[in-house]
Amino acid sequence: MAENVWILGIHMTKFGKHPDKDTVDLASEAALGALSDAGVSMKDMGILAAGNLMAANAGIGQQLQKQIGQTGIPVYNVANACATGATALRTAVMAVKAGEVDYGLAVGVEKLAGAGLLGAGGRTASEGHKWDPKGRYGAVAPLDGRVGTETMPGVFAQIGMEYGHKYGGTSFELFAKISEKNHAHSTLNPLAAYTKRMTLEEIMNDVMIAYPNTRPMCSANCDGAAAAVVVSDSKLKTLSAEQRRRAVKVAASVLTTDPWEEACQVLPNVNSLTRNAARQAYESAGIGPEDLNLVELHDCFATAELVHYDNLMLCEEGGAADFFNSGASWRDGKTPVNVSGGLQSKGHPIAATGIANIWEVCTHLRGEAGPRQIEGAKVGLAHVIGLGSACGVHILEKAA
Amino acid sequence: MPKSDAPTASGRQVPLVDYLILGSDPHLEASECTQCQARFFDRRNACASCSGTEFKRVRLANDGTVRAFTIVTFAAPGVPVPFVSSVVDCDGTSVRANLINVDPTPEKLSTGMRVRLTTYSLGTDDDGVDAIGFGYEPV
Ligand SMILES: [Zn+2]
């Protein structure tokens, strides 16, 4: 019987601009915060899993150890697009589950403030030279802009439009209303990069990035880090009553990738792998979507949030627009979604996001979310997706 | 891969991508897995669906239906904006392409609209070779 795994300590930095801190500073702040929250030290850790995407070859895990404790434990540097943080946590969870270690530390960190558009090829056109076929498509020129778009806002815009085409009920205004909700939620989150409530008109009249996503409907590039300490069930039993009370059960930890489907190589399909992850997570936790008290999902764009209502089975298939229009995903609704403000206002320091979403859920389950507390929260779900694609779903449960 | 380095009155032409077949009847071709019929536009090592390694070339329908689109107004440096990116369903095969010869405004575009493949010149290089791109225009 594999070990149950618990989050013993968790921490996130303020998201936003940190010009005076580098990735190691931010990772250290998150890691030391999580260790202190857990009431343990680096000496207790049996494994470190560290995620950083933009400098994935730099060995952030070892850099972090050199700052906060070189104990010689195995370090896994992970990079898995926007699911990097969730992958780091899952790596630590797997080590505990396997019985190899009692304690694991997972960290995700990113410096992104001021970064431009992500996901684009960035190659410049070469007109006036020689048309020279290159690469797997034998292309004589960069394809971004000539054969559709390769940028994230455009890809996720199409994903939202495709959902609307299939099921109906969507509009520019509906997508903007989703963003309005998340910006409203962010006003209660002091760690969010942006905490400004925006009107529907402001959101709709802002700069259009890729129709129907205007700028406030896109995730905010920023700096930040988050970290979590996980512990085995048997070790937790030996800890103090206070540590046991605040521990949060990892009821499910799932990672999936795209299964083959027609069109998945033309437009990434963020739906099937999320649905598969959600199904596995509900099954493994023995919990259904109706039991969730809050959800932090990957609203990298307003269009993405809509499709994930459906993918995470918060509504019936095809019912995402109705689900939103019913008010269900507002903080006083049936299934509050992104009460942190989500990626659109809390911010999206890529590798930190997966653990930050889990931090938000844990903080509510511990009853420590202050003014934005979802009263009586017992179960929550955290979801991230990175294109390519990878999807992480974690279901978390308050200690009994 | 067939190369359409075909001579024309004004000189030689080269397609933007291998899967665009030029000549008097421009169309797209895909590699189809002989085992499971999955279709691909790029050079394949094996089939992503069934791992088979036998493929045949198949011609795609030139007509299609827009399944998704976006109007991109912010792009990487060097990419002219605005442009309309879309996914076009051509008789069950999805194609990523720009919608062209249409106003890039939400009023002029909709999912479900019928479109047809068309080609255009990307300009000539130093050797006088004309690169030909493709897109879909409203029927
Ligand atoms: Zn096949």
Side-chain angles (χ1 to χ4, degrees), chain A residues 117 120 122-124 127-131 133 135-141 143-151 154 157-158 161-162 165 207-212 260 262-263 265-267, chain B residues 3 14-19 38 40 42-45 48-49 67-71 73-76 79 83 85-86 92-98 106 111-112 122-127 129 131:
Chain A
L117 210 50
R123 284 196 295 157
T124 48
E127 276 90 348
H129 301 346
K130 192 163 163 36
W131 297 120
R136 301 196 77 86
Y137 295 94
V140 301
L143 298 185
D144 184 32
R146 292 192 172 90
V147 180
T149 183
E150 292 171 0
T151 62
Q158 290 175 107
M161 295 296 280
E162 185 178 43
H165 177 58
V207 179
M208 184 61 77
I209 303 293
Y211 179 88
W260 162 262
E262 200 287 315
Q265 308 213 359
V266 169
L267 180 67
Chain B
K3 277 282 182 306
V14 60
L16 172 58
V17 287
D18 276 340
Y19 58 91
F40 304 91
D42 62 342
R43 185 178 78 229
R44 297 307 299 179
N45 303 92
S49 168
R67 221 177 63 205
F69 73 87
T70 180
I71 306 157
T73 32
F74 267 74
V79 177
F83 67 92
S85 170
S86 77
T93 302
S94 297
V95 182
R96 189 176 90 180
N98 285 9
T111 56
L122 293 166
T124 53
D125 67 9
D126 292 346
D127 300 339
V129 175

Coordinates of all heavy atoms in Angstrom, one line a residue, chain A residues 117 120 122-124 127-131 133 135-141 143-151 154 157-158 161-162 165 207-212 260 262-263 265-267, chain B residues 3 14-19 38 40 42-45 48-49 67-71 73-76 79 83 85-86 92-98 106 111-112 122-127 129 131:
Chain A
L117 N 5.6 38.9 -25.5 CA 4.7 37.8 -25.9 C 5.4 36.5 -25.8 O 6.5 36.3 -26.3 CB 4.3 38.1 -27.4 CG 3.0 37.7 -27.9 CD1 1.9 38.1 -27.0 CD2 2.8 38.3 -29.3
A120 N 5.9 32.7 -29.3 CA 6.2 33.0 -30.7 C 7.6 32.5 -31.1 O 8.5 32.4 -30.2 CB 6.0 34.4 -31.0
G122 N 9.8 33.8 -33.0 CA 10.7 34.9 -32.8 C 11.7 35.0 -34.0 O 12.5 35.9 -34.0
R123 N 11.6 34.1 -35.0 CA 12.5 34.2 -36.2 C 12.0 35.4 -37.0 O 10.8 35.6 -37.2 CB 12.4 32.9 -37.0 CG 13.2 31.8 -36.4 CD 13.5 30.7 -37.4 NE 12.2 30.1 -37.8 CZ 12.1 29.5 -39.0 NH1 13.1 29.4 -39.9 NH2 10.9 28.9 -39.3
T124 N 12.9 36.1 -37.6 CA 12.5 37.2 -38.4 C 12.4 36.8 -39.9 O 13.1 35.8 -40.3 CB 13.5 38.4 -38.3 OG1 14.8 37.9 -38.5 CG2 13.3 39.1 -37.0
E127 N 12.9 37.8 -46.3 CA 12.7 38.3 -47.7 C 13.9 38.8 -48.4 O 14.7 39.5 -47.7 CB 11.5 39.3 -47.7 CG 10.2 38.7 -47.7 CD 9.6 38.5 -46.3 OE1 10.4 38.6 -45.4 OE2 8.4 38.3 -46.2
G128 N 14.0 38.7 -49.6 CA 15.1 39.3 -50.4 C 16.4 38.5 -50.4 O 17.3 38.9 -51.0
H129 N 16.4 37.3 -49.7 CA 17.5 36.5 -49.8 C 17.3 35.3 -50.6 O 17.1 35.4 -51.8 CB 18.0 36.1 -48.4 CG 18.3 37.3 -47.5 ND1 18.5 38.6 -48.1 CD2 18.4 37.5 -46.2 CE1 18.7 39.5 -47.1 NE2 18.7 38.8 -46.0
K130 N 17.1 34.1 -50.0 CA 16.9 32.9 -50.8 C 15.8 32.1 -50.0 O 15.9 31.9 -48.8 CB 18.2 32.1 -50.9 CG 18.1 31.0 -51.9 CD 19.4 30.5 -52.3 CE 19.4 29.2 -53.0 NZ 18.2 28.9 -53.9
W131 N 14.8 31.8 -50.8 CA 13.7 30.9 -50.2 C 14.3 29.5 -50.1 O 14.6 28.8 -51.1 CB 12.5 30.8 -51.1 CG 11.8 32.2 -51.3 CD1 11.6 32.8 -52.5 CD2 11.2 33.0 -50.3 NE1 10.9 33.9 -52.3 CE2 10.6 34.1 -51.0 CE3 11.0 32.9 -48.9 CZ2 9.9 35.1 -50.3 CZ3 10.3 33.9 -48.3 CH2 9.8 35.0 -48.9
P133 N 13.9 25.9 -48.2 CA 13.0 25.0 -47.3 C 13.8 24.5 -46.1 O 14.9 24.0 -46.3 CB 12.7 23.9 -48.3 CG 12.9 24.4 -49.7 CD 14.1 25.3 -49.5
G135 N 13.3 22.6 -42.0 CA 12.5 22.0 -40.9 C 11.5 21.0 -41.4 O 11.5 20.5 -42.5
R136 N 10.7 20.6 -40.4 CA 9.8 19.4 -40.7 C 8.7 19.7 -41.7 O 8.1 18.8 -42.1 CB 9.2 19.0 -39.3 CG 10.2 18.6 -38.3 CD 9.6 17.8 -37.1 NE 9.3 16.5 -37.5 CZ 10.2 15.5 -37.5 NH1 11.4 15.7 -37.0 NH2 9.9 14.3 -37.8
Y137 N 8.5 21.0 -41.9 CA 7.4 21.3 -42.9 C 8.0 21.8 -44.2 O 7.3 22.2 -45.1 CB 6.5 22.4 -42.3 CG 5.7 22.0 -41.1 CD1 6.2 22.2 -39.8 CD2 4.5 21.3 -41.3 CE1 5.4 21.8 -38.7 CE2 3.8 20.8 -40.2 CZ 4.3 21.1 -38.9 OH 3.6 20.6 -37.8
G138 N 9.3 21.8 -44.3 CA 10.0 22.3 -45.5 C 9.6 23.7 -45.8 O 9.3 24.1 -46.9
A139 N 9.5 24.5 -44.7 CA 9.1 25.9 -44.9 C 10.2 26.8 -45.4 O 11.3 26.7 -44.9 CB 8.5 26.4 -43.5
V140 N 9.8 27.7 -46.3 CA 10.8 28.7 -46.8 C 10.8 30.0 -46.0 O 11.6 30.8 -46.3 CB 10.6 28.9 -48.3 CG1 10.7 27.6 -49.1 CG2 9.2 29.6 -48.5
A141 N 9.9 30.1 -45.1 CA 9.8 31.3 -44.3 C 9.1 30.9 -42.9 O 8.5 29.9 -42.8 CB 8.9 32.4 -45.0
L143 N 6.5 30.4 -40.1 CA 5.1 30.2 -40.3 C 4.2 31.0 -39.5 O 3.1 31.3 -39.8 CB 4.8 28.7 -40.1 CG 5.5 27.7 -41.0 CD1 5.1 26.3 -40.8 CD2 5.3 28.1 -42.5
D144 N 4.7 31.5 -38.3 CA 3.9 32.3 -37.4 C 3.4 33.6 -38.2 O 4.2 34.4 -38.7 CB 4.7 32.7 -36.2 CG 3.8 33.5 -35.2 OD1 2.6 33.2 -35.1 OD2 4.3 34.4 -34.5
G145 N 2.1 33.7 -38.3 CA 1.5 34.9 -39.0 C 1.2 34.6 -40.5 O 0.5 35.3 -41.1
R146 N 1.9 33.5 -41.0 CA 1.6 33.1 -42.4 C 0.7 31.9 -42.5 O -0.1 31.7 -43.4 CB 2.9 32.9 -43.2 CG 3.7 34.1 -43.4 CD 4.8 33.8 -44.4 NE 5.5 35.0 -44.8 CZ 6.6 35.4 -44.1 NH1 7.1 34.8 -43.1 NH2 7.2 36.6 -44.5
V147 N 0.9 31.0 -41.5 CA 0.1 29.8 -41.4 C -0.5 29.8 -40.0 O -0.1 29.1 -39.1 CB 0.9 28.5 -41.7 CG1 0.0 27.3 -41.6 CG2 1.5 28.6 -43.1
G148 N -1.4 30.7 -39.8 CA -2.0 30.9 -38.5 C -1.1 31.5 -37.5 O 0.0 32.0 -37.8
T149 N -1.4 31.3 -36.2 CA -0.6 31.9 -35.1 C 0.0 30.9 -34.3 O -0.5 29.8 -34.1 CB -1.5 32.9 -34.3 OG1 -0.6 33.5 -33.3 CG2 -2.6 32.1 -33.6
E150 N 1.2 31.2 -33.7 CA 1.9 30.3 -32.8 C 1.9 30.9 -31.4 O 2.5 30.4 -30.5 CB 3.3 30.0 -33.3 CG 3.3 29.2 -34.6 CD 4.7 29.1 -35.2 OE1 5.7 29.7 -34.7 OE2 4.8 28.4 -36.3
T151 N 1.3 32.1 -31.3 CA 1.4 32.8 -30.0 C 0.3 32.3 -29.0 O -0.8 31.9 -29.5 CB 1.3 34.3 -30.1 OG1 0.0 34.6 -30.6 CG2 2.4 34.9 -31.0
G154 N -3.3 33.9 -29.2 CA -4.0 33.5 -30.4 C -4.5 32.0 -30.3 O -5.6 31.7 -30.7
A157 N -7.3 31.9 -27.8 CA -8.4 32.5 -28.4 C -9.2 31.5 -29.3 O -10.4 31.4 -29.2 CB -8.0 33.8 -29.2
Q158 N -8.4 30.8 -30.1 CA -9.1 29.9 -31.0 C -9.7 28.7 -30.3 O -10.8 28.2 -30.6 CB -8.1 29.3 -32.0 CG -7.6 30.4 -33.0 CD -6.5 29.9 -34.0 OE1 -6.7 29.6 -35.1 NE2 -5.3 29.8 -33.4
M161 N -13.0 30.0 -29.1 CA -13.9 30.2 -30.3 C -14.4 28.8 -30.7 O -15.5 28.6 -31.1 CB -13.2 30.9 -31.4 CG -12.8 32.3 -31.1 SD -14.2 33.4 -30.8 CE -14.7 33.8 -32.5
E162 N -13.5 27.8 -30.7 CA -13.9 26.5 -31.1 C -14.9 25.9 -30.2 O -15.9 25.3 -30.6 CB -12.6 25.6 -31.1 CG -12.9 24.2 -31.7 CD -11.6 23.3 -31.7 OE1 -10.8 23.4 -30.7 OE2 -11.4 22.7 -32.7
H165 N -18.1 27.5 -31.1 CA -18.6 26.9 -32.3 C -19.3 25.6 -32.1 O -20.4 25.3 -32.7 CB -17.5 26.7 -33.3 CG -17.9 26.1 -34.6 ND1 -18.8 26.7 -35.4 CD2 -17.4 25.0 -35.2 CE1 -19.0 25.9 -36.5 NE2 -18.1 24.9 -36.4
V207 N -6.8 47.2 -24.9 CA -6.1 46.8 -26.2 C -6.5 45.3 -26.5 O -6.4 44.4 -25.7 CB -4.6 46.9 -25.9 CG1 -3.8 46.4 -27.2 CG2 -4.2 48.3 -25.5
M208 N -6.9 45.1 -27.8 CA -7.1 43.8 -28.2 C -5.8 43.1 -28.5 O -5.0 43.6 -29.2 CB -8.0 43.8 -29.5 CG -8.4 42.5 -30.0 SD -9.4 41.5 -28.8 CE -11.0 42.3 -29.0
I209 N -5.6 41.9 -28.0 CA -4.4 41.1 -28.2 C -4.6 40.1 -29.3 O -4.0 40.1 -30.3 CB -3.8 40.4 -26.9 CG1 -3.6 41.5 -25.8 CG2 -2.6 39.7 -27.2 CD1 -2.5 42.5 -26.1
A210 N -5.6 39.3 -29.1 CA -6.0 38.3 -30.1 C -7.5 38.1 -29.8 O -7.9 37.5 -28.8 CB -5.3 37.0 -30.0
Y211 N -8.3 38.6 -30.7 CA -9.8 38.5 -30.5 C -10.2 37.1 -30.2 O -9.8 36.1 -30.8 CB -10.5 39.0 -31.8 CG -12.0 38.9 -31.7 CD1 -12.7 40.0 -31.2 CD2 -12.7 37.7 -32.1 CE1 -14.1 39.9 -31.1 CE2 -14.1 37.7 -32.0 CZ -14.8 38.8 -31.5 OH -16.2 38.7 -31.3
P212 N -11.0 36.9 -29.1 CA -11.7 37.8 -28.3 C -11.0 38.1 -26.9 O -11.6 38.5 -26.0 CB -13.0 37.1 -28.0 CG -12.6 35.7 -27.9 CD -11.5 35.5 -28.8
W260 N -3.7 11.1 -28.8 CA -3.8 11.4 -30.2 C -5.3 11.7 -30.5 O -6.2 11.0 -30.1 CB -3.4 10.3 -31.1 CG -4.0 10.4 -32.5 CD1 -5.1 9.8 -33.0 CD2 -3.5 11.3 -33.5 NE1 -5.3 10.3 -34.3 CE2 -4.4 11.2 -34.6 CE3 -2.4 12.2 -33.6 CZ2 -4.2 11.9 -35.8 CZ3 -2.3 12.9 -34.8 CH2 -3.2 12.8 -35.8
E262 N -7.6 13.7 -34.0 CA -7.6 14.5 -35.2 C -7.4 15.9 -34.8 O -8.1 16.4 -33.8 CB -8.9 14.3 -36.0 CG -8.8 14.6 -37.5 CD -8.8 16.1 -37.8 OE1 -9.5 16.9 -37.2 OE2 -7.9 16.5 -38.6
A263 N -6.6 16.7 -35.5 CA -6.5 18.1 -35.3 C -5.6 18.5 -34.1 O -5.2 19.7 -34.0 CB -7.8 18.8 -35.1
Q265 N -2.5 18.2 -33.7 CA -1.2 18.8 -34.1 C -1.4 20.1 -34.9 O -0.4 20.7 -35.2 CB -0.5 17.8 -35.0 CG -0.4 16.4 -34.3 CD 0.8 15.6 -34.6 OE1 1.7 16.1 -35.3 NE2 1.0 14.5 -34.0
V266 N -2.6 20.4 -35.1 CA -2.9 21.7 -35.8 C -3.3 22.8 -34.8 O -2.7 23.9 -34.8 CB -4.1 21.5 -36.8 CG1 -4.6 22.8 -37.3 CG2 -3.7 20.6 -37.9
L267 N -4.1 22.5 -33.9 CA -4.4 23.4 -32.8 C -4.3 22.5 -31.5 O -5.0 21.5 -31.4 CB -5.9 23.9 -32.9 CG -6.3 24.8 -31.8 CD1 -5.6 26.2 -31.8 CD2 -7.8 25.1 -31.9
Chain B
K3 N 8.6 18.2 -54.4 CA 9.0 19.7 -54.4 C 8.4 20.3 -55.6 O 8.6 19.8 -56.7 CB 10.5 19.8 -54.5 CG 11.2 19.7 -53.1 CD 11.0 21.0 -52.4 CE 11.7 21.0 -51.0 NZ 11.4 19.9 -50.2
V14 N 8.3 28.3 -55.5 CA 8.5 27.3 -54.4 C 7.4 27.5 -53.4 O 7.0 28.7 -53.2 CB 9.9 27.6 -53.8 CG1 10.1 29.0 -53.2 CG2 10.2 26.5 -52.8
P15 N 6.8 26.4 -52.9 CA 5.7 26.6 -52.0 C 6.2 27.0 -50.6 O 7.4 26.6 -50.2 CB 5.1 25.2 -51.9 CG 6.2 24.2 -52.3 CD 7.1 25.0 -53.2
L16 N 5.4 27.7 -49.9 CA 5.8 28.1 -48.5 C 6.1 26.9 -47.6 O 7.0 26.9 -46.8 CB 4.6 28.9 -47.9 CG 4.7 29.2 -46.4 CD1 6.0 30.0 -46.1 CD2 3.5 30.0 -45.9
V17 N 5.3 25.8 -47.8 CA 5.6 24.6 -47.1 C 5.4 23.4 -48.1 O 4.8 23.5 -49.1 CB 4.5 24.4 -46.0 CG1 4.8 25.3 -44.8 CG2 3.1 24.6 -46.5
D18 N 6.1 22.3 -47.7 CA 6.1 21.1 -48.5 C 4.7 20.6 -48.8 O 4.5 20.0 -49.9 CB 6.8 19.9 -47.7 CG 8.3 20.0 -47.9 OD1 8.7 20.6 -48.8 OD2 8.9 19.4 -47.0
Y19 N 3.7 20.8 -47.9 CA 2.4 20.2 -48.1 C 1.5 21.0 -49.0 O 0.4 20.6 -49.2 CB 1.8 19.8 -46.8 CG 1.5 20.9 -45.8 CD1 0.3 21.6 -45.8 CD2 2.5 21.2 -44.8 CE1 0.1 22.6 -44.9 CE2 2.3 22.2 -43.9 CZ 1.1 22.9 -43.9 OH 0.9 23.9 -43.0
A38 N -4.6 8.3 -39.7 CA -4.3 9.6 -39.1 C -3.5 10.4 -40.1 O -2.7 9.9 -40.9 CB -3.5 9.4 -37.8
F40 N -1.1 13.8 -41.2 CA 0.0 14.7 -40.8 C 0.5 15.6 -41.9 O 0.5 15.2 -43.0 CB 1.1 13.9 -40.2 CG 0.8 12.9 -39.1 CD1 0.4 11.6 -39.5 CD2 0.7 13.3 -37.8 CE1 0.0 10.7 -38.5 CE2 0.3 12.4 -36.8 CZ 0.0 11.1 -37.2
D42 N 3.6 17.3 -41.4 CA 5.1 17.4 -41.3 C 5.7 16.1 -41.7 O 5.1 15.1 -42.0 CB 5.5 17.8 -39.9 CG 5.1 16.8 -38.9 OD1 4.2 15.9 -39.1 OD2 5.7 16.8 -37.8
R43 N 7.1 16.1 -41.8 CA 7.8 14.9 -42.1 C 7.6 14.0 -40.9 O 7.7 14.5 -39.7 CB 9.3 15.4 -42.2 CG 10.3 14.3 -42.5 CD 11.7 14.9 -42.6 NE 12.3 15.1 -41.3 CZ 12.9 16.2 -41.0 NH1 12.9 17.2 -41.8 NH2 13.4 16.3 -39.8
R44 N 7.4 12.7 -41.1 CA 7.0 11.8 -40.0 C 8.1 10.8 -39.7 O 8.7 10.3 -40.6 CB 5.7 11.1 -40.3 CG 4.5 11.9 -40.4 CD 4.3 12.8 -39.3 NE 4.1 12.1 -38.0 CZ 3.9 12.8 -36.8 NH1 3.9 14.1 -36.8 NH2 3.8 12.1 -35.7
N45 N 8.3 10.5 -38.4 CA 9.2 9.4 -38.0 C 8.3 8.2 -37.8 O 8.7 7.0 -38.1 CB 9.9 9.7 -36.7 CG 10.7 11.0 -36.9 OD1 10.3 12.1 -36.6 ND2 11.9 10.8 -37.4
A48 N 1.7 9.2 -34.8 CA 1.4 9.6 -33.4 C 0.3 8.9 -32.8 O 0.1 8.7 -31.6 CB 1.2 11.1 -33.3
S49 N -0.6 8.3 -33.7 CA -1.8 7.7 -33.2 C -1.5 6.2 -33.0 O -1.9 5.7 -31.9 CB -2.9 7.8 -34.3 OG -4.0 7.0 -34.0
R67 N -13.7 26.4 -38.2 CA -14.1 25.8 -36.9 C -13.6 26.7 -35.8 O -14.2 26.7 -34.7 CB -13.4 24.4 -36.8 CG -14.3 23.4 -36.2 CD -13.6 22.1 -36.1 NE -12.5 22.1 -35.3 CZ -11.4 21.3 -35.4 NH1 -11.4 20.4 -36.3 NH2 -10.4 21.4 -34.6
A68 N -12.6 27.5 -36.0 CA -12.1 28.4 -35.0 C -11.3 29.5 -35.6 O -10.7 29.3 -36.7 CB -11.3 27.7 -33.9
F69 N -11.4 30.7 -35.1 CA -10.5 31.8 -35.6 C -10.2 32.7 -34.5 O -10.8 32.8 -33.5 CB -11.2 32.5 -36.8 CG -12.3 33.4 -36.4 CD1 -12.1 34.7 -36.0 CD2 -13.6 32.9 -36.3 CE1 -13.1 35.5 -35.6 CE2 -14.6 33.8 -35.9 CZ -14.4 35.1 -35.5
T70 N -9.1 33.5 -34.8 CA -8.8 34.7 -33.9 C -8.2 35.7 -34.8 O -7.7 35.4 -35.9 CB -7.9 34.3 -32.8 OG1 -7.6 35.5 -32.0 CG2 -6.5 33.8 -33.3
I71 N -8.4 37.0 -34.4 CA -7.8 38.1 -35.1 C -6.6 38.5 -34.3 O -6.7 39.0 -33.2 CB -8.8 39.3 -35.3 CG1 -10.0 38.8 -35.9 CG2 -8.1 40.4 -36.1 CD1 -11.2 39.7 -35.7
T73 N -3.7 40.7 -33.2 CA -3.3 42.1 -33.3 C -1.9 42.4 -32.7 O -1.3 43.4 -32.9 CB -4.3 43.1 -32.7 OG1 -5.0 42.4 -31.6 CG2 -5.4 43.4 -33.8
F74 N -1.5 41.4 -31.9 CA -0.1 41.5 -31.3 C 0.6 40.2 -31.6 O 0.2 39.2 -31.3 CB -0.2 41.7 -29.7 CG -0.2 43.1 -29.3 CD1 -1.3 43.9 -29.5 CD2 0.9 43.6 -28.7 CE1 -1.3 45.2 -29.1 CE2 0.9 45.0 -28.3 CZ -0.2 45.8 -28.5
A75 N 1.8 40.4 -32.2 CA 2.5 39.2 -32.6 C 4.0 39.5 -32.4 O 4.4 40.6 -32.0 CB 2.3 38.8 -34.1
A76 N 4.8 38.5 -32.7 CA 6.3 38.6 -32.5 C 6.8 39.7 -33.5 O 6.1 39.9 -34.5 CB 6.9 37.3 -32.8
V79 N 6.2 40.0 -37.6 CA 5.0 39.4 -38.1 C 4.0 40.5 -38.4 O 3.6 41.2 -37.4 CB 4.4 38.4 -37.1 CG1 3.1 37.8 -37.6 CG2 5.5 37.3 -36.8
F83 N -3.8 39.8 -38.5 CA -4.1 38.8 -39.5 C -5.0 37.8 -38.8 O -5.2 37.9 -37.6 CB -2.8 38.0 -39.9 CG -2.1 37.2 -38.8 CD1 -2.4 35.9 -38.6 CD2 -1.1 37.9 -38.0 CE1 -1.7 35.2 -37.6 CE2 -0.5 37.2 -37.0 CZ -0.8 35.8 -36.8
S85 N -6.0 34.1 -37.9 CA -5.6 32.7 -37.8 C -6.8 31.9 -37.7 O -7.8 32.3 -37.0 CB -4.7 32.6 -36.6 OG -4.4 31.2 -36.3
S86 N -6.8 30.7 -38.3 CA -8.0 29.9 -38.1 C -7.6 28.4 -38.2 O -6.5 28.0 -38.6 CB -9.0 30.2 -39.2 OG -8.6 29.7 -40.4
G92 N -13.2 16.8 -42.7 CA -12.7 15.9 -41.7 C -11.2 16.0 -41.3 O -10.8 15.4 -40.4
T93 N -10.5 16.8 -42.1 CA -9.1 17.0 -41.8 C -8.9 18.5 -41.4 O -9.3 19.4 -42.2 CB -8.2 16.7 -43.0 OG1 -8.4 15.3 -43.4 CG2 -6.7 16.9 -42.7
S94 N -8.3 18.7 -40.3 CA -8.2 20.1 -39.8 C -6.9 20.7 -40.3 O -5.8 20.1 -40.3 CB -8.1 20.1 -38.3 OG -9.4 19.6 -37.8
V95 N -7.0 21.9 -40.8 CA -5.8 22.7 -41.3 C -5.7 24.0 -40.6 O -6.7 24.7 -40.3 CB -6.1 23.0 -42.8 CG1 -4.9 23.6 -43.4 CG2 -6.4 21.7 -43.6
R96 N -4.4 24.3 -40.2 CA -4.2 25.6 -39.6 C -3.8 26.5 -40.8 O -2.9 26.2 -41.6 CB -3.0 25.5 -38.6 CG -2.9 26.8 -37.8 CD -1.8 26.6 -36.8 NE -0.5 27.0 -37.3 CZ 0.7 26.9 -36.6 NH1 0.7 26.5 -35.4 NH2 1.8 27.3 -37.2
A97 N -4.4 27.7 -40.9 CA -4.1 28.6 -41.9 C -4.6 30.0 -41.6 O -5.5 30.1 -40.7 CB -4.8 28.1 -43.2
N98 N -4.2 31.0 -42.4 CA -4.8 32.3 -42.2 C -6.0 32.4 -43.1 O -6.1 31.7 -44.1 CB -3.8 33.3 -42.7 CG -2.7 33.6 -41.8 OD1 -2.5 32.9 -40.8 ND2 -1.9 34.6 -42.0
P106 N -14.4 41.3 -36.4 CA -15.3 40.2 -35.9 C -16.6 40.2 -36.7 O -17.2 39.2 -36.8 CB -15.6 40.7 -34.4 CG -14.5 41.6 -34.1 CD -14.0 42.2 -35.3
T111 N -17.4 31.5 -37.0 CA -17.2 30.1 -37.1 C -18.3 29.5 -37.9 O -19.4 30.1 -37.9 CB -17.1 29.4 -35.7 OG1 -18.3 29.7 -35.0 CG2 -15.9 29.9 -34.9
G112 N -18.0 28.5 -38.7 CA -19.1 27.9 -39.5 C -19.0 28.5 -40.9 O -19.7 27.9 -41.8
L122 N 4.5 35.4 -52.0 CA 5.3 36.0 -50.8 C 6.4 36.9 -51.3 O 7.2 37.4 -50.5 CB 5.8 34.9 -49.9 CG 4.8 34.0 -49.2 CD1 5.5 32.7 -48.6 CD2 4.1 34.8 -48.1
G123 N 6.6 36.9 -52.6 CA 7.7 37.7 -53.2 C 8.8 36.8 -53.7 O 8.8 35.6 -53.5
T124 N 9.7 37.4 -54.4 CA 10.8 36.6 -55.0 C 12.1 36.8 -54.2 O 12.3 37.9 -53.6 CB 11.1 37.1 -56.5 OG1 11.3 38.5 -56.5 CG2 9.9 36.7 -57.4
D125 N 12.9 35.8 -54.3 CA 14.2 35.9 -53.6 C 15.3 36.4 -54.6 O 15.0 36.8 -55.7 CB 14.6 34.6 -52.9 CG 14.9 33.5 -53.9 OD1 15.0 33.8 -55.2 OD2 15.1 32.4 -53.5
D126 N 16.6 36.4 -54.2 CA 17.6 37.0 -55.0 C 17.8 36.2 -56.3 O 18.3 36.8 -57.3 CB 18.9 36.9 -54.2 CG 18.9 37.9 -53.1 OD1 18.0 38.8 -53.0 OD2 19.8 37.8 -52.2
D127 N 17.4 35.0 -56.4 CA 17.5 34.2 -57.6 C 16.2 34.3 -58.5 O 16.1 33.5 -59.4 CB 17.7 32.7 -57.3 CG 19.0 32.5 -56.5 OD1 19.9 33.4 -56.5 OD2 19.1 31.4 -55.8
V129 N 13.2 33.4 -57.5 CA 12.3 32.4 -57.2 C 11.1 33.0 -56.4 O 11.4 33.7 -55.4 CB 12.9 31.2 -56.4 CG1 11.9 30.2 -56.0 CG2 14.0 30.6 -57.2
A131 N 8.1 32.7 -53.9 CA 7.5 31.8 -52.9 C 6.0 32.0 -52.8 O 5.5 33.1 -52.9 CB 8.1 32.1 -51.5

